[in-house]
Amino acid sequence: MLRFARRIALQQVEQIAGRGGWVRRASTSAPSGDVSIQESCPSSGQVGYGRVYTSLSSGRLFHDKTQGSGPVTVRTWYEKNSGGSSISAKLGFNYAGTTTWGSTFTQSPGTTKSGSWSRNWSSDCYSTIGMMSVTGQGTYQTPSGTC
């Protein structure tokens, strides 16, 4: 079913691009460490299986969960645009009203920072929200990420 849906989505993208529009295809690979992933953002914020993001004025805040044969890996990462100045921030996620935060870091323009947490959940389908707290600016979040 997923392959069929993906094929239909790619056909729709190709049809739009064929009409003279410009479309960037979404990647479905998961990050590892400090990485940069180029993705387009639909209004729902859903950009892949369990992957969501929010566009901010200075970058993009992503969140996803993956599960192999063991615990669920919960990830939140922030791609900071190349303009502007450095920020002091921390990344985290919210599950069932409880937010888990990582350590505070300094992030320079044009870089990506990520946080990762391992959870002994039976599934990666739990509803979670990616969070970022920026010192002196406030707290930002992604839409809820589910299956």
Side-chain angles (χ1 to χ4, degrees):
M1 180 66 176
L2 181 60
R3 285 186 183 170
F4 177 75
R6 195 175 279 170
R7 184 168 10 114
I8 295 298
L10 288 176
Q11 289 172 349
Q12 291 171 344
V13 166
E14 289 166 358
Q15 288 173 356
I16 293 168
R19 290 185 207 136
W22 179 83
V23 176
R24 192 169 14 176
R25 291 186 183 170
S27 166
T28 56
S29 61
S32 175
D34 291 344
V35 297
S36 179
I37 297 176
Q38 301 299 314
E39 303 188 45
S40 59
C41 186
S43 60
S44 69
Q46 297 282 340
V47 290
Y49 177 82
R51 178 172 292 173
V52 292
Y53 95 84
T54 297
S55 290
L56 304 172
S57 62
S58 59
R60 300 182 296 177
L61 180 62
F62 291 85
H63 178 68
D64 75 2
K65 297 175 296 297
T66 57
Q67 183 176 29
S69 59
V72 174
T73 300
V74 181
R75 291 176 252 231
T76 302
W77 67 102
Y78 182 60
E79 294 180 348
K80 184 159 176 40
N81 293 340
S82 58
S85 57
S86 295
I87 59 169
S88 176
K90 59 184 175 181
L91 297 168
F93 72 97
N94 184 287
Y95 168 66
T98 300
T99 301
T100 300
W101 292 108
S103 302
T104 301
F105 57 85
T106 299
Q107 185 171 5
S108 303
T111 64
T112 300
K113 294 289 186 178
S114 63
S116 178
W117 300 267
S118 182
R119 292 293 180 261
N120 288 318
W121 294 337
S122 59
S123 165
D124 62 353
C125 289
Y126 291 106
S127 179
T128 57
I129 298 170
M131 307 284 291
M132 179 175 68
S133 177
V134 180
T135 304
Q137 293 184 29
T139 301
Y140 306 92
Q141 66 183 49
T142 67
S144 178
T146 58
C147 293

